[in-house]
């Protein structure tokens, strides 16, 4: 009886680890690097920076 329950626990933990690993590996990657985001927004919105 205990061995049967242990098998279910091991199976559940294994599935949880696989789901967690798959989620981590398939996370959305940013399309552009953070250094390029601000200039892109400035050019798309026709904004001007000022040195005040």
């Amino acid at each position: 009886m205990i061995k049967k329950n242990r098998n279910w626990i091991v199976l559940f933990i294994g599935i949880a680890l696989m789901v967690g690993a798959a989620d981590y590996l398939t996370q959305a990657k940013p399309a552009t690097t953070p250094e390029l985001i601000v200039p892109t927004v400035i050019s798309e919105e026709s904004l001007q920076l000022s040195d005040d």
Side-chain angles (χ1 to χ4, degrees):
M1 182 78 171
I2 293 174
K3 186 172 183 164
K4 185 177 181 181
N5 288 340
R6 187 177 59 179
N7 288 343
W8 281 108
I9 292 171
V10 169
L11 179 65
F12 178 75
I13 291 172
I15 291 172
L17 288 173
M18 286 189 292
V19 169
D23 183 50
Y24 175 76
L25 294 174
T26 58
Q27 287 179 350
K29 305 280 188 282
T32 59
T33 58
E35 295 84 14
L36 299 176
I37 291 174
V38 173
T40 302
V41 171
I42 290 172
S43 66
E44 286 177 358
E45 300 294 330
S46 299
L47 300 175
Q48 295 183 1
L49 297 178
S50 63
D51 291 332
D52 288 338

